[in-house]
Amino acid sequence: MKTKEHQLDLRWLEAYRSQDPHFGLERMEALLALRGNPHLDCRVIHVAGTNGKGSTIATLSQLLRQAGLRVGVFTSPYLIHYNDQITINGEAISDQDLQTYLDSYQQLLQAEQSRAIFQGLTEFEVMTAIAYDYFAHEELDYVIMEVGMGGRLDSTNVCQPVLTAITSIGLDHVALLGPDLASIAREKAGIIKPGIPLVLGKLEAEASQVIEGIAIQKQAPITAYDRDYQVELEASCISGQSFSYHSSKRETASYQVALLGHHQARNAALAISICDVLFEREGRELLSRELVDETLHQVVWPGRMEVVSKNPMILLDGAHNPHAVVPLIASLRELFSSQKKTILFTCIRTKALEEMLIQWQELENSRLILTTFEDPRAYSQEEIRAAATKHQLEEVNWQEFLQNWQAEGDELLIVTGSLYFLSQVRPYLLKTEKSN
């Protein structure tokens, strides 16, 4: 539990903050070596992908916990509390424990500051190291590590996993990962390890060809979407997605996941497949259909088609690249086709702003409003205002807009574009909702 009287001191970490990742594993390996290589004591499920990682991990974690296992999860960015990046069985690391690790790493890095290897070390790398350290100390059954960006040179990729998974491949971070699906797939395939099972979500043929080619070279057993497991959406509604699932390990059966958006059926199916491949490999009994279905009903993942207010209806979604906007718009068309929709949108500088603005303007029965927010990664007000002028859109202060928001009839408000943005909007809206 978090101690209310304790406040995290993150000031020293500010020196390690970077808008872009500093790719490479040598700093992580050197840092973890000073701590006795805790990452090698973790039984890691390593998850990469352009989109769908968070929802898949949330579902997988619940499934593993249903089997009575203790499961650590490292994921980013955080949406509510800084501690939420590091959890065990859904419980975030306490302020006190996290501060103890932060203090240890601060002292360690001060003592090693003359070493050239630690020049360019980032906050994300420090937090990744702390996660491995904490999880190893807690002697968990499994640790799920979410790749921050790419895969091959991401700081999480120092582990020796028991299973790897790639959720999806889309065009994002093209300046850093490559200009096409094949290049991005190659980077994400960097998490594949010799002889270690690989489970794949739905991939474009171009990406699948690259990833499966690398897996075959490394003799990593592949479980692929549509070939080795099949999922078919049966119904999509405000309470979640119903779908049928079949694999060589399971007979065809229907399930329902509580997360909104038709793409969540695929994410849930991927999580089931990861769990089954893992359990079969390690000689564990597979979860029954009833237990899987019960678990899927319990999955919660804030900021992904999350309804934070029902009257008026306000929905939050962290779709932050064109690849993620496509299924979000499809879900809005399916679930709220007749309702008027207002989209409050912003994103950070590394994202494809122009492309997403065009996508959102194609949504029927909707109006798009732009904003910005306080964050060094965000577009400035001047830049957002210029984009608004170019596309003949309204530009607002998001706090004032939300404070004065009044829906017309059953109008739906969607706040989207950046998880960093939602980390500010979500507590503001929930506080407002509570006071009402």
Side-chain angles (χ1 to χ4, degrees):
M1 295 290 289
K2 296 185 180 71
T3 54
K4 289 182 180 176
E5 68 279 2
H6 196 87
Q7 292 293 316
L8 286 175
D9 182 2
L10 304 172
R11 288 172 298 179
W12 72 273
L13 263 182
E14 289 175 7
Y16 297 95
R17 283 190 182 152
S18 168
Q19 291 191 31
D20 293 318
H22 296 173
F23 286 139
L25 304 180
E26 60 284 348
R27 291 180 301 277
M28 280 297 296
E29 288 168 344
L31 181 58
L32 288 163
L34 293 172
R35 299 288 293 184
N37 293 315
H39 58 300
L40 301 182
D41 294 327
C42 296
R43 308 190 70 242
V44 175
I45 300 164
H46 203 189
V47 182
T50 304
N51 295 302
K53 297 189 297 293
S55 304
T56 301
I57 288 170
T59 307
L60 175 61
S61 173
Q62 286 280 102
L63 289 168
L64 296 176
R65 288 158 60 188
Q66 185 69 265
L69 301 168
R70 290 184 76 224
V71 183
V73 173
F74 176 67
T75 188
S76 61
Y78 66 93
L79 193 59
I80 306 166
H81 303 109
Y82 195 82
N83 315 51
D84 295 342
Q85 297 170 91
I86 300 172
T87 65
I88 294 177
N89 281 13
E91 186 75 27
I93 184 172
S94 69
D95 283 350
Q96 212 149 13
D97 283 347
L98 181 52
Q99 192 66 61
T100 299
Y101 279 99
L102 287 167
D103 292 345
S104 295
Y105 275 76
Q106 183 181 12
Q107 291 163 17
L108 182 66
L109 289 168
Q110 282 174 344
E112 301 287 332
Q113 61 185 345
S114 61
R115 290 181 61 186
I117 189 73
F118 293 124
Q119 301 305 310
L121 190 73
T122 66
E123 178 184 14
F124 184 74
E125 288 172 320
V126 173
M127 289 304 295
T128 305
I130 288 175
Y132 278 128
D133 218 339
Y134 175 62
F135 293 148
H137 178 265
E138 293 294 318
E139 298 181 342
L140 305 174
D141 294 297
Y142 295 106
V143 168
I144 307 173
M145 297 294 289
E146 179 189 6
V147 169
M149 188 185 297
R152 182 174 63 93
L153 298 174
D154 184 77
S155 63
T156 60
N157 198 29
V158 290
C159 60
Q160 294 179 359
V162 296
L163 184 146
T164 61
I166 299 174
T167 59
S168 65
I169 302 290
L171 295 176
D172 194 17
H173 302 293
V174 291
L176 296 165
L177 301 180
D180 50 42
L181 291 180
S183 303
I184 293 171
R186 206 166 288 114
E187 287 298 318
K188 296 194 186 295
I191 70 167
I192 299 170
K193 302 295 187 293
I196 301 300
L198 168 69
V199 184
L200 301 175
K202 184 180 181 182
L203 305 176
E204 299 286 344
E206 183 184 351
S208 180
Q209 190 175 357
V210 170
I211 290 169
E212 293 203 35
I214 292 170
I216 289 166
Q217 284 173 12
K218 295 188 176 184
Q219 297 183 310
I222 305 165
T223 300
Y225 174 91
D226 218 26
R227 185 179 68 215
D228 300 301
Y229 69 96
Q230 296 82 41
V231 56
E232 189 172 330
L233 186 67
E234 294 176 338
S236 183
C237 63
I238 196 70
S239 61
Q241 320 306 306
S242 297
F243 64 96
S244 67
Y245 175 89
H246 172 264
S247 74
S248 59
K249 299 172 179 53
R250 284 187 186 273
E251 294 181 359
T252 303
S254 291
Y255 300 89
Q256 182 169 354
V257 64
L259 301 175
L260 295 189
H262 67 268
H263 52 291
Q264 295 297 356
R266 293 197 301 270
N267 293 338
L270 175 57
I272 296 169
S273 300
I274 293 170
C275 190
D276 285 356
V277 168
L278 182 68
F279 280 15
E280 186 176 75
R281 180 180 172 88
E282 305 212 331
R284 296 181 186 274
E285 185 179 344
L286 301 193
L287 292 171
S288 68
R289 193 212 76 81
E290 290 75 22
L291 274 179
V292 170
D293 197 45
E294 180 186 321
T295 305
L296 296 184
H297 277 85
Q298 298 166 1
V299 178
V300 175
W301 191 235
R304 279 74 173 184
M305 283 202 80
E306 179 188 14
V307 177
V308 291
S309 170
K310 289 189 175 177
N311 187 22
M313 178 74 92
I314 302 176
L315 189 147
L316 305 183
D317 193 277
H320 56 276
N321 54 48
H323 188 257
V325 172
V326 170
L328 175 55
I329 287 178
S331 295
L332 292 172
R333 282 175 173 148
E334 188 170 19
L335 295 173
F336 307 103
S337 59
S338 63
Q339 290 173 238
K340 183 179 176 184
K341 292 168 279 289
T342 292
I343 298 98
L344 181 63
F345 174 88
T346 193
C347 65
I348 60 173
R349 277 199 174 91
T350 56
K351 302 301 179 179
L353 174 63
E354 281 293 315
E355 191 175 343
M356 287 190 282
L357 292 183
I358 291 167
Q359 286 176 296
W360 279 117
Q361 288 178 94
E362 290 172 353
L363 178 61
E364 305 81 10
N365 198 20
S366 72
R367 63 171 176 150
L368 177 61
I369 296 174
L370 304 188
T371 190
T372 190
F373 64 110
E374 287 292 326
D375 189 293
R377 293 160 290 211
Y379 279 102
S380 68
Q381 188 173 15
E382 290 73 24
E383 289 167 322
I384 287 293
R385 192 166 286 160
T389 302
K390 177 181 175 182
H391 291 270
Q392 297 182 307
L393 301 170
E394 189 180 348
E395 177 263 332
V396 299
N397 173 290
W398 69 264
Q399 291 102 328
E400 291 176 7
F401 177 82
L402 292 176
Q403 194 173 356
N404 298 317
W405 170 250
Q406 299 219 334
E408 293 181 16
D410 63 354
E411 185 176 6
L412 170 68
L413 173 62
I414 304 109
V415 184
T416 188
S418 166
L419 286 168
Y420 298 107
F421 177 44
L422 294 194
S423 72
Q424 297 180 23
V425 171
R426 190 177 185 274
Y428 178 89
L429 283 172
L430 292 177
K431 185 179 176 183
T432 305
E433 177 79 356
K434 203 171 181 181
S435 64
N436 291 341

